[in-house]
Amino acid sequence: EELSHEEEFISGVCYLRDQYVGLMIELACIDDGSRWSVLVDHPRVPIGAVSALELPVGRLDDDEERLLGEQIELLEESCGLEISMLNLTNLSKEAYASSNIRNDLGMCPAQGQSGECVKIMYMRKEICKDHLLKMRTMFSEKREQGAIVTLRVVPLNDIWKVSADMKVMCALFLLEKADLYGEYGCHDDDASVSVSVRGGIRMVNSMLSTVKRRGI
């Protein structure tokens, strides 16, 4: 006897958006042990901000070997970086390695409304103090000259304080869970970085707890 199964369809409206990559850069100063990151500074009309600091983003090429996009090109030209998948760590994958979830898509900001997914990648580069100072001076001069989109070099332990970008918070959280600080060695001088990162993570956890209590 054949059994007939009625197909059930789930209706809904969603926004279809391409997948993209958020890039967390750590610049490790070889002279004094300080740690820095690079954020993109540009205006954001939807939130009414003339200056918003965000994690740089790009997209993978067809061969998934390089990152493409205006912000990636700006990073490579201004910071002297060569950004390819060979020198990037997939934080989304590393952080979920010990869990039962296979995170191939990355982070989903609003999976009930949008198909948007962002993979958080991580790159670490050692840099001398003189180069770091030249970069900060150059970016500051470009802002004074009226450039709309610029880069900002920010201490790694302060990026969660100066940016409301969700990708920044996710990158810090995943970096902690992937335990990459331990991989590169966290010395006593880096204690403030670890404490501040954990402070940002505690704030994220608090926000998630509030969302769960309210049933959002």
Side-chain angles (χ1 to χ4, degrees):
E1 183 179 355
E2 294 184 0
L3 298 178
S4 60
H5 297 277
E6 295 184 1
E7 294 183 351
E8 295 184 4
F9 295 92
I10 301 176
S11 61
V13 177
C14 67
Y15 299 98
L16 300 179
R17 299 190 60 181
D18 291 337
Q19 297 183 16
Y20 61 98
V21 173
L23 181 58
M24 172 73 157
I25 297 178
E26 178 185 344
L27 300 177
C29 182
I30 59 177
D31 296 315
D32 57 16
S34 60
R35 297 184 174 193
W36 304 75
S37 190
V38 183
L39 301 178
V40 180
D41 186 356
H42 48 183
R44 283 306 193 201
V45 174
I47 62 174
V50 296
S51 175
L53 298 180
E54 299 179 354
L55 210 65
V57 297
R59 60 179 179 82
L60 290 171
D61 63 8
D62 293 337
D63 296 326
E64 295 191 355
E65 295 180 353
R66 288 190 57 80
L67 285 181
L68 306 175
E70 295 180 359
Q71 296 181 16
I72 302 300
E73 293 178 2
L74 183 60
L75 278 171
E76 291 182 326
E77 295 174 0
S78 303
C79 303
L81 301 175
E82 183 178 349
I83 302 173
S84 69
M85 296 304 293
L86 295 177
N87 51 26
L88 298 182
T89 300
N90 189 335
L91 287 183
S92 304
K93 181 178 180 180
E94 291 293 329
Y96 280 87
S98 60
S99 73
N100 295 325
I101 299 178
R102 181 178 175 180
N103 193 335
D104 294 328
L105 295 176
M107 310 309 295
C108 305
Q111 56 187 3
Q113 299 176 343
S114 171
E116 177 182 3
C117 297
V118 52
K119 290 183 178 180
I120 306 295
M121 309 298 290
Y122 169 76
M123 178 180 183
R124 185 180 187 272
K125 179 179 176 61
E126 293 185 343
I127 189 172
C128 67
K129 195 170 185 178
D130 288 341
H131 189 189
L132 190 63
L133 181 60
K134 288 179 181 179
M135 286 172 50
R136 299 185 69 186
T137 302
M138 177 179 62
F139 299 155
S140 178
E141 289 176 349
K142 287 186 176 182
R143 287 193 297 272
E144 292 175 355
Q145 294 169 2
I148 297 178
V149 180
T150 60
L151 299 177
R152 187 83 65 92
V153 179
V154 182
L156 184 62
N157 60 329
D158 287 341
I159 60 175
W160 69 276
K161 299 177 183 178
V162 300
S163 174
D165 181 23
M166 177 210 67
K167 296 185 297 296
V168 168
M169 303 303 262
C170 285
L172 286 173
F173 182 82
L174 293 175
L175 188 62
E176 176 78 6
K177 293 302 181 183
D179 199 24
L180 292 185
Y181 279 117
E183 178 179 335
Y184 293 112
C186 186
H187 307 290
D188 292 339
D189 294 339
D190 302 322
S192 60
V193 175
S194 181
V195 170
S196 293
V197 168
R198 287 184 173 87
I201 292 171
R202 282 196 297 269
M203 186 168 72
V204 174
N205 288 332
S206 176
M207 293 169 61
L208 292 175
S209 297
T210 302
V211 169
K212 290 180 179 179
R213 286 198 304 269
R214 295 180 180 178
I216 299 176

